[in-house]
Amino acid sequence: MADLRINLGGIQAPNPFWLASAPPTNTGYQVERAFEAGWGGAVWKTLGDPIINVTSRFAGLKYNGQTVGFNNIELITDRPLEVNLKEMKEVKRKFPNHALVASLMMEPNREKWHELVKAVEDVGVDGLELNFGCPHGMAERGMGSAVGQQPELVQQQTEWVKEVAQTPVIVKLTPNITDIRYTARAAKQGGADAVSMINTINSLMGVDIDTWNPIPHVDGKGAHGGYCGPAVKPIALNMVAECARDSQVNLPISGIGGISNWRDVVEFMLMGSSSIQVCTAAMLYGFRIVEDMIEGLSHYLDERGIESVMDIVGKSVTRYSEWGNLNLNYKVVARIDEQSCINCNRCHIACEDTSHQCIDIVQMENGGEKLVVREEDCVGCNLCSIVCPIEDCITMVEIPTVQPPLTWRERTALMNSAQ
């Protein structure tokens, strides 16, 4: 069986499955239950100066009966610091081999950061995660994403923490920014041992068209919240990949955002994550989802003869590039399997109305109809395979070409040299 142990910037864990700093890690009782279920690590719900939360605070976006997006306006822990510290110490005593990371948030005050770091490290945590990503409530107070959106503040406050920290420091980054690489670089310059991404995305889940209240609302008023869940996975995966391939970042990454199953875990690790953090999936299905994640990841590695999960970290990063480096002469076309086609015509409608009009409805001798792709006109956009309700009915097939690979940058260079 493959070795699932990981090391994130000096923080070791029995597997890459961590709970993110969020409602599931609010108490020692919850973290202990999570570790018993099989989670390898947990980032404690963010500690800082006392706050007061509101009700209601969650909202969900559903599609075909499944929650694909999740919004919250909850803030950091509303429990006293001394209570949290006592529980953290007890959890670490019971589970010495699991990764216990403290998420921290503090006003921009060097001495207060020092005090908080020392108090937390005294209970024996394995590392610190600096919450520079929370987009609501705390940001309005000059913390969270208010820091994470300004590289100079990220660097400064990371430096403050590193002045006294005795354990590895992870900087958690906000996605509510034009280019996350700049804040990741700032974290590196500030001395961070790792980065985690992404925190939640600014969002308004909806408006009740009967009452006209925002969703969720608090006594008839609402505020923007943090968006997470499966819907944000592509955004998170892109930001992980961008930082993983940036030589100026060059830090271990803990991937967060829409991770719901072992396949998602593999994708994040291939794109550079050494550990992954889960929140929404645990909130929707409970802690025992980690059992399927562990089993699926283990089978995946064993089937490929991979001895350690760390061996897959970053293996797809070099395949992620810029549009200008893509081969213009590579060609795929759609092909429809007549045997599995149910003639719903969704591919024809999509192609006819919104793509390149290359799928024909052909009359058959028996009076029936079939769908046929005119391959010479197909641009390989993938739309038909996406809308098809039958798995593997429409496949994208590579068409051999005699033309050598040619990128846009190469083409442009050739054109400029010919002038």
Side-chain angles (χ1 to χ4, degrees):
M1 182 176 177
D3 185 356
L4 297 186
R5 291 176 297 176
I6 62 101
N7 185 314
L8 177 78
I11 303 173
Q12 299 184 28
N15 62 52
F17 305 102
W18 294 10
L19 285 174
S21 172
T25 60
N26 188 46
T27 67
Y29 169 77
Q30 292 171 281
V31 175
E32 287 185 21
R33 291 189 68 239
F35 286 168
E36 289 168 354
W39 294 89
V43 185
W44 204 275
K45 188 169 173 60
T46 305
L47 308 175
D49 286 336
I51 57 91
I52 299 175
N53 273 306
V54 297
T55 62
S56 60
R57 58 184 81 162
F58 297 153
L61 178 67
K62 291 194 174 183
Y63 183 76
N64 289 338
Q66 298 294 316
T67 300
V68 297
F70 196 83
N71 171 282
N72 85 91
I73 55 173
E74 184 170 293
L75 305 184
I76 66 175
T77 183
D78 51 13
R79 303 191 310 142
L81 178 61
E82 58 270 20
V83 173
N84 280 293
L85 294 180
K86 180 180 178 181
E87 293 179 6
M88 294 169 78
K89 185 174 183 178
E90 181 64 12
V91 169
K92 194 58 191 175
R93 183 187 69 80
K94 292 181 179 179
F95 297 90
N97 297 322
H98 287 64
L100 186 63
V101 177
S103 174
L104 307 179
M105 183 184 291
M106 182 50 65
E107 63 181 270
N109 181 293
R110 184 179 183 182
E111 287 69 31
K112 285 193 173 184
W113 267 113
H114 286 185
E115 291 174 6
L116 182 60
V117 169
K118 291 176 181 177
V120 170
E121 289 192 328
D122 280 346
V123 302
V125 297
D126 299 292
L128 310 173
E129 184 180 78
L130 312 186
N131 186 344
F132 295 153
C134 180
H136 56 273
M138 306 308 295
E140 288 90 324
R141 310 179 196 195
M143 294 176 274
S145 62
V147 176
Q149 291 168 338
Q150 301 185 59
E152 63 275 13
L153 294 183
V154 170
Q155 179 177 344
Q156 178 192 58
Q157 295 189 32
T158 303
E159 289 175 345
W160 289 348
V161 170
K162 287 295 291 185
E163 287 171 352
V164 295
Q166 301 298 308
T167 59
V169 174
I170 308 167
V171 172
K172 189 173 186 178
L173 302 175
T174 177
N176 302 303
I177 194 168
T178 304
D179 192 335
I180 200 170
R181 294 176 299 172
Y182 288 94
T183 46
R185 293 169 185 170
K188 172 67 176 294
Q189 292 166 357
D193 300 286
V195 288
S196 59
M197 66 190 80
I198 58 174
N199 209 311
T200 52
I201 302 171
N202 274 331
S203 62
L204 170 61
M205 185 56 78
V207 180
D208 187 320
I209 62 173
D210 294 319
T211 66
W212 298 0
N213 287 333
I215 301 174
H217 77 89
V218 180
D219 195 20
K221 291 186 178 181
H224 76 272
Y227 191 54
C228 53
V232 311
K233 175 193 162 189
I235 299 169
L237 194 59
N238 168 66
M239 292 188 175
V240 166
E242 289 289 352
C243 289
R245 71 187 184 97
D246 190 314
S247 60
Q248 296 182 59
V249 176
N250 194 28
L251 284 172
I253 298 172
S254 185
I256 316 168
I259 299 169
S260 304
N261 54 58
W262 69 266
R263 292 179 177 273
D264 296 335
V265 173
V266 172
E267 292 181 45
F268 270 80
M269 297 192 80
L270 288 172
M271 275 299 176
S273 299
S274 297
S275 78
I276 59 92
Q277 297 184 34
V278 176
C279 171
T280 306
M283 294 180 72
L284 296 177
Y285 304 110
F287 289 150
R288 294 191 63 179
I289 61 167
V290 76
E291 296 174 0
D292 290 336
M293 289 182 170
I294 292 173
E295 182 179 7
L297 179 60
S298 295
H299 285 325
Y300 175 83
L301 298 172
D302 290 344
E303 288 175 357
R304 286 158 179 75
I306 300 172
E307 296 182 357
S308 170
V309 69
M310 292 295 288
D311 291 339
I312 71 171
V313 174
K315 293 302 182 183
S316 292
V317 173
T318 57
R319 303 187 184 195
Y320 193 62
S321 186
E322 298 173 359
W323 193 93
N325 295 327
L326 304 180
N327 181 10
L328 298 172
N329 290 331
Y330 178 77
K331 183 174 177 60
V332 296
V333 298
R335 286 186 183 165
I336 302 172
D337 178 20
E338 293 183 27
Q339 300 303 314
S340 59
C341 178
I342 61 174
N343 292 101
C344 65
N345 289 347
R346 287 188 62 184
C347 61
H348 170 75
I349 294 169
C351 186
E352 197 72 12
D353 288 354
T354 64
S355 192
H356 287 76
Q357 302 80 50
C358 65
I359 299 180
D360 296 325
I361 300 177
V362 178
Q363 299 294 323
M364 301 173 64
E365 292 182 359
N366 61 7
E369 297 177 341
K370 68 176 181 179
L371 297 163
V372 178
V373 177
R374 295 194 317 278
E375 294 188 2
E376 64 274 17
D377 295 324
C378 178
V379 300
C381 71
N382 295 3
L383 178 60
C384 58
S385 65
I386 293 171
V387 302
C388 180
I390 306 301
E391 188 174 358
D392 296 329
C393 177
I394 301 179
T395 54
M396 306 306 296
V397 181
E398 181 180 353
I399 301 299
T401 176
V402 296
Q403 296 176 307
L406 180 69
T407 69
W408 175 258
R409 285 181 173 165
E410 292 169 340
R411 183 176 183 273
T412 302
L414 288 172
M415 292 174 63
N416 290 337
S417 65
Q419 293 177 355

